[in-house]
Amino acid sequence: MSLSPEQRREYRAIAHHLKPVVIIGDKGLSEGLQQELDRALNDHELIKIKVASPDRDERREAIEALCAGSGAELVQMIGKVAIILRRAKEPNPKLSNLQRHKS
């Protein structure tokens, strides 16, 4: 699923006020981090991730690995923060950032 520029703009606007839900620290991509990412994507669909690594290439690789492993799509990456999206099969209107924005 590829996002159009209009969709990316809309998702960036929704995510602008969100705080990072998942933070990737020194331990890198662990099993626990992957489980937390899946839970966050199932609940919220559109989330921010913060990568603590000072190296730009390491941050890019970590985000790409997370997206590939979780089936999510990268919306935007600026500095140490990335916005990713994965639509839930049955979104919870109280938790989903996409559903709450439509209301």
Side-chain angles (χ1 to χ4, degrees), residues 11 14-15 18 44-48 75 83-85 97-98:
Y11 294 144
I14 293 170
L18 300 178
H44 303 294
E45 296 183 288
L46 182 72
I47 62 170
K48 278 187 178 177
V75 175
I83 301 168
I84 65 171
L85 166 79
N97 291 318
L98 301 178

Side-chain angles (χ1 to χ4, degrees), residues 23-37 66:
I23 298 174
I24 303 171
D26 297 335
K27 304 235 187 235
L29 307 176
S30 65
E31 181 66 31
L33 180 95
Q34 191 68 40
Q35 290 173 352
E36 182 62 22
L37 177 69
L66 280 179

Side-chain angles (χ1 to χ4, degrees), residues 35-45 47 86-92 95-96:
Q35 290 173 352
E36 182 62 22
L37 177 69
D38 282 337
R39 186 209 53 79
L41 285 169
N42 285 335
D43 288 347
H44 303 294
E45 296 183 288
I47 62 170
R86 184 179 76 191
R87 295 218 176 253
K89 292 174 180 64
E90 295 179 24
N92 183 339
L95 294 176
S96 170

Side-chain angles (χ1 to χ4, degrees), residues 3-12:
L3 298 173
S4 70
E6 293 81 22
Q7 289 174 315
R8 286 187 191 279
R9 191 175 316 119
E10 178 185 352
Y11 294 144
R12 285 195 316 257

Side-chain angles (χ1 to χ4, degrees), residues 47-67:
I47 62 170
K48 278 187 178 177
I49 296 176
K50 184 172 184 176
V51 184
S53 172
D55 183 34
R56 181 184 305 192
D57 293 331
E58 285 180 18
R59 289 193 305 258
R60 169 64 75 182
E61 289 172 10
I63 294 298
E64 288 174 356
L66 280 179
C67 288

